[in-house]
Amino acid sequence: MTTHAPRVFSGMQPTGNLTLGNYLGALRNFVALQDDEAFERLYCVVDLHAITVAQDPATLSRTTREVAAAYIASGLDPKRSILFNQSRVTAHAELGWIFTCVARMGWLNRMTQFKEKAGKNRENASVGLFSYPTLMAADILAYRATHVPVGEDQKQHLELTRDIAAKFNNDFQVPDFFPQPEPLIQKETARIMSLRNGANKMSKSDPSDMSRINLTDDADLIAQKIRKAKTDPEPLPSEAEGLEGRPEALNLVGIFAALSGVSVADVLAEHGGQGFGAFKPALADLTVERIAPIGEEMRRLMETPDEIDAILADGAERAGALARPVLREVYETLGLNGGGTA
Ligand code: TYM
């Protein structure tokens, strides 16, 4: 049993356009948690994580504001949740370093996302890309966060975070210093797949823009992408079992269910027997209705970048006030005299 106050932390990388996968897998859940007064909430734009691969500075600066705009446009209220970008709060980088000394090479060697991202060119990957999950652990544990809403692909990083917390508590004989944070993964939307290939995750880094719906896509583009989405020639089944072995159909039905707030069974009860010629226009209309207004609001917010920066600065101040005492205790625990006071 943890004795830590319920606190939610999550983040997104500003490495390109946010997608429907980011929205359904994580962001929508950030917003839903806002209605649960039991939790304090911090939502971060993880710009320090973005630089683990090469970034153009002007683009990074813009996409960082854009992710903040997506947070707000999706319904996060900067008064009820703390919104900020990671590099404004130095505790993340400081604790990240300490955790690179707690985590073991063997643990990081097992991370599947590093293997995917580094590909064949491992020798040339940045050291930061390898130690990426230690910074993620620092993001969460600098606030002693207890709950972390994420998509399925972050589960392994969360397990590593728990291992780091346990090793720190154990090595320094400070039981319960850090909590064991719980991932909050929405089963139905944990893994939204590419529109071009039902075996791949929908991703902002996929070379094909047709593989994803971006939150900034306009109504015509959203409809076009859904019209062109890969499918099979069979009509939709009337029951969920009939989607087995049909990953593209399963994905589109899952998106429909998530966006309309009903179960897959309900979608199939209504649309079972239909071919994709009839189902796709219904899905396109629904997606446009739910997603296009977010993009419009993001564009409106991006017209006043100073206002976004003011929100992030205010959030960073509140976040820093929570993290600083934790960091002070960490330095003391490690015998690093006066650490963190510069
Ligand atoms: P990132 O920026 O890749 O993705 C942000 C969030 O979106 C989820 N997600 C998806 N969910 C369902 N289907 C998809 N196709 C899909 N694509 C992305 C991700 O699971 C994630 O929740 N390492 C993190 C960022 C991070 C973080 C943190 C998260 C840094 N520090 C601390 C939580 C807590 C990442 O790269 O997410």
Side-chain angles (χ1 to χ4, degrees), residues 257-306:
L259 286 174
S260 55
V262 303
S263 69
V264 164
D266 287 342
V267 176
L268 293 177
E270 193 183 335
H271 296 274
Q274 272 182 2
F276 285 98
F279 182 67
K280 279 181 169 178
L283 177 60
D285 285 350
L286 177 64
T287 313
V288 166
E289 187 189 314
R290 296 292 147 87
I291 299 301
I294 297 177
E296 275 162 37
E297 180 63 5
M298 282 173 70
R299 275 186 285 280
R300 197 189 65 76
L301 291 165
M302 286 298 285
E303 282 170 16
T304 50
D306 290 354

Side-chain angles (χ1 to χ4, degrees), residues 9-15 18-27 30 46 49 86 113 117 132 135-137 139-140 148-154 157-158 189-193 201-204:
F9 183 97
S10 198
M12 293 196 171
Q13 292 200 68
T15 44
L18 291 189
T19 72
L20 184 64
N22 296 124
Y23 179 72
L24 291 178
L27 184 47
F30 297 1
V46 292
H49 275 106
Q86 190 183 26
Q113 204 155 78
K117 288 199 175 165
Y132 176 112
L135 180 59
M136 181 161 160
D139 297 339
I140 298 164
V148 185
V150 281
E152 175 79 29
D153 61 352
Q154 298 303 314
H157 290 160
L158 254 294
T189 51
R191 210 170 148 77
I192 302 293
M193 307 311 277
K201 190 182 70 165
M202 184 181 285
S203 163
K204 43 182 138 78

Side-chain angles (χ1 to χ4, degrees), residues 89-167:
V89 180
T90 56
H92 294 245
E94 292 175 45
L95 190 57
W97 169 253
I98 289 168
F99 285 168
T100 59
C101 303
V102 174
R104 305 290 93 183
M105 292 290 287
W107 300 358
L108 289 164
N109 265 328
R110 284 195 287 276
M111 295 294 112
T112 53
Q113 204 155 78
F114 173 73
K115 290 179 197 157
E116 275 164 30
K117 288 199 175 165
K120 291 198 180 71
N121 205 2
R122 238 181 118 132
E123 289 297 306
N124 207 27
S126 74
V127 177
L129 190 66
F130 182 70
S131 68
Y132 176 112
T134 59
L135 180 59
M136 181 161 160
D139 297 339
I140 298 164
L141 296 173
Y143 303 96
R144 294 188 163 129
T146 53
H147 294 82
V148 185
V150 281
E152 175 79 29
D153 61 352
Q154 298 303 314
K155 202 170 163 209
Q156 196 184 34
H157 290 160
L158 254 294
E159 281 158 13
L160 188 95
T161 300
R162 294 163 65 95
D163 289 344
I164 288 177
K167 184 164 163 54

Side-chain angles (χ1 to χ4, degrees), residues 48-335:
L48 293 174
H49 275 106
I51 62 166
T52 54
V53 297
Q55 299 293 337
D56 167 58
T59 308
L60 179 61
S61 158
R62 180 176 50 77
T63 49
T64 297
R65 291 189 185 110
E66 226 166 63
V67 174
Y71 282 0
I72 300 164
S74 301
L76 288 180
D77 173 354
K79 293 202 180 67
R80 293 163 71 203
S81 300
I82 298 178
L83 309 185
F84 69 109
N85 57 310
Q86 190 183 26
S87 60
R88 285 181 192 260
V89 180
T90 56
H92 294 245
E94 292 175 45
L95 190 57
W97 169 253
I98 289 168
F99 285 168
T100 59
C101 303
V102 174
R104 305 290 93 183
M105 292 290 287
W107 300 358
L108 289 164
N109 265 328
R110 284 195 287 276
M111 295 294 112
T112 53
Q113 204 155 78
F114 173 73
K115 290 179 197 157
E116 275 164 30
K117 288 199 175 165
K120 291 198 180 71
N121 205 2
R122 238 181 118 132
E123 289 297 306
N124 207 27
S126 74
V127 177
L129 190 66
F130 182 70
S131 68
Y132 176 112
T134 59
L135 180 59
M136 181 161 160
D139 297 339
I140 298 164
L141 296 173
Y143 303 96
R144 294 188 163 129
T146 53
H147 294 82
V148 185
V150 281
E152 175 79 29
D153 61 352
Q154 298 303 314
K155 202 170 163 209
Q156 196 184 34
H157 290 160
L158 254 294
E159 281 158 13
L160 188 95
T161 300
R162 294 163 65 95
D163 289 344
I164 288 177
K167 184 164 163 54
F168 184 98
N169 292 355
N170 189 52
D171 283 357
F172 300 103
Q173 301 283 299
V174 280
D176 214 28
F177 185 94
F178 287 123
Q180 288 278 290
E182 297 281 343
L184 297 176
I185 299 177
Q186 297 294 101
K187 198 166 140 272
E188 303 76 21
T189 51
R191 210 170 148 77
I192 302 293
M193 307 311 277
S194 155
L195 299 179
R196 306 303 298 166
N197 180 348
N200 295 342
K201 190 182 70 165
M202 184 181 285
S203 163
K204 43 182 138 78
S205 55
D206 190 311
S208 164
D209 192 57
M210 294 302 281
S211 71
R212 60 179 163 262
I213 308 279
N214 303 304
L215 294 186
T216 47
D217 288 346
D218 64 19
D220 287 347
L221 191 53
I222 293 174
Q224 189 195 0
K225 285 178 174 177
I226 291 185
R227 220 170 31 244
K228 297 215 165 140
K230 185 178 166 200
T231 47
D232 55 44
E234 302 298 318
L236 286 177
S238 311
E239 285 170 18
E241 295 76 52
L243 290 169
E244 266 169 44
R246 300 178 64 187
E248 285 85 12
L250 175 67
N251 190 40
L252 295 186
V253 172
I255 292 172
F256 194 103
L259 286 174
S260 55
V262 303
S263 69
V264 164
D266 287 342
V267 176
L268 293 177
E270 193 183 335
H271 296 274
Q274 272 182 2
F276 285 98
F279 182 67
K280 279 181 169 178
L283 177 60
D285 285 350
L286 177 64
T287 313
V288 166
E289 187 189 314
R290 296 292 147 87
I291 299 301
I294 297 177
E296 275 162 37
E297 180 63 5
M298 282 173 70
R299 275 186 285 280
R300 197 189 65 76
L301 291 165
M302 286 298 285
E303 282 170 16
T304 50
D306 290 354
E307 285 177 26
I308 297 178
D309 287 352
I311 288 170
L312 296 175
D314 173 65
E317 206 166 298
R318 287 150 67 204
L322 295 173
R324 265 190 302 276
V326 178
L327 262 285
R328 213 162 289 140
E329 275 188 70
V330 167
Y331 283 117
E332 262 171 40
T333 302
L334 267 64

